[in-house]
Amino acid sequence: MGYVRYPKRVSAAGESAAKPASRRRGAELESAILRAAVEELSESGYPGLTMDRVARRAGTNKNAIYRRWPNRAALGVAAYQRLATEKLRPPDTGALRDDALALLRRVNCDLSSPQAEILRGLLAGVGDEPELLARLHDAVADGGSGVWLTIVGRAVARGEVPPEALHPRVVTVALALLRNEYVTRGLTTVPDDVLVEIVDEVYLPLLRSRGPA
Amino acid sequence: MGYVRYPKRVSAAGESAAKPASRRRGAELESAILRAAVEELSESGYPGLTMDRVARRAGTNKNAIYRRWPNRAALGVAAYQRLATEKLRPPDTGALRDDALALLRRVNCDLSSPQAEILRGLLAGVGDEPELLARLHDAVADGGSGVWLTIVGRAVARGEVPPEALHPRVVTVALALLRNEYVTRGLTTVPDDVLVEIVDEVYLPLLRSRGPA
DNA sequence: AATTTACGGTACGTTTCGTACCCTATCGAG
DNA sequence: CTCGATAGGGTACGAAACGTACCGTAAATT
């Protein structure tokens, strides 16, 4: 079907931004694409993550992208994994309550409005592809679990909470609740009251409760 | 610009499904549109909620839709509100643990895979419109809060948990955790282990902990 | 040096949103 | 009962964006 004409066009000047003279290949090109995708994702969210725009930004074309990722959602997840992997070091204030609040606040700031929208977009875009969804889930979960284990571990060492508190699901409850607010409540940053409430009404009572009855 | 020709076409026979002879107006037509939207949403999820398809299914055209909702996301939220308003009556087994588990399981079955995907789709489609997001949030939140208050209220009456447990945020923790699993984990139903874990490791300890220190 | 592979560039087909435009049935006022 | 005004029906259209196909060419491989 249908290839009638093929006009041979000299590449228009100054159309693309950062493309070196030599032609990139393999890992180098892949990295450039991924970097462009992360930037687009950060600036314009998932709806802005257009294949054409990523290609233009990376100084390449959609061909090179589709050879690596089967569709837009896969590229989005890959980019998000990069974006979310910037680790945050656990605070160490000496009190579990302050540690937890500090962590929640940081997550609330760093990862808030843009990130939440990105995550929402991705969760939808992933749709019915379980593998992508799982990857996304891991990316999100890993972002938290370790850090929370650390601060609770310190609290256990201080005798603030019983050692039974060191349960993976228990430790990440605060993060899950915050994420729940994110995802459903929306773009705006979660108000600080809510964070305090999560910590004082749920998180601390829960951790303390897990000792010997 | 540009209306060149206008072919006068006799309406093709049998192209639309349920359109009565008389032309519907106002509330009646609106209801038909919404019903069609709910059906499309249930069958094909948010991606399948196409304006053209809804219009065809309702036996009307996009015009009538856009006169009522500004865009697809708004229609989707409206349809979801209808879909999610089917209430569930609280179980009453006589024990809080069983009530909570039963409720989680029912939510997990009834509202699981299709609903979760719809919700994910909507959350993304709503994007940057805070009002729609708020409406969605209400629709989701209302679905749970009351029921949970009921079963915990009964538990309080039985003396199972202290009255301080009747805190809105506390009471809905189990639902929030389950929803968190939904949203991130994906389509498949959340395994029962997880539900049990949520109840035994988090929910019950939390509620019991809220008594006098 | 020859061959194979991967990139660059571009054109397309398709779908879907949202808008514009005509024509007409129905409703309400006089 | 006649006659506008309003809302529906039908359709066409422009703009994006996805995903694919196809050429020509640079770079790696042999």
Side-chain angles (χ1 to χ4, degrees), chain B residues 2-87:
Chain B
Y3 254 65
V4 185
R5 69 199 173 284
Y6 237 96
K8 186 153 224 170
R9 186 178 298 172
V10 187
S11 67
E15 192 128 32
S16 56
K19 176 169 36 173
S22 71
R23 183 181 278 188
R24 296 158 302 177
R25 291 174 79 90
E28 186 187 351
L29 180 56
E30 181 156 336
S31 175
I33 294 174
L34 219 44
R35 199 176 322 134
V38 168
E39 288 172 17
E40 289 290 346
L41 205 55
S42 304
E43 292 174 15
S44 319
Y46 187 59
L49 188 77
T50 295
M51 303 309 255
D52 292 275
R53 289 180 60 180
V54 172
R56 273 237 316 274
R57 184 162 205 154
T60 178
N61 63 337
K62 291 195 289 183
N63 245 334
I65 304 180
Y66 277 105
R67 210 170 281 136
R68 294 173 164 81
W69 294 275
N71 49 46
R72 173 171 162 247
L75 175 62
V77 171
Y80 184 81
Q81 282 182 310
R82 275 219 168 174
L83 194 62
T85 310
E86 292 153 17
K87 6 185 149 292

Side-chain angles (χ1 to χ4, degrees), chain A residues 3 5 19 23 25-26 60-61 63 67-68:
Chain A
Y3 254 64
R5 70 200 173 283
K19 175 169 39 174
R23 182 182 279 188
R25 290 174 80 91
T60 178
N61 63 337
N63 242 336
R67 208 169 284 135
R68 295 174 164 80

Side-chain angles (χ1 to χ4, degrees), chain B residues 130-145:
Chain B
E131 179 183 330
L132 286 183
L133 207 45
R135 287 246 286 279
L136 204 53
H137 181 260
D138 289 350
V140 174
D142 288 356
S145 177

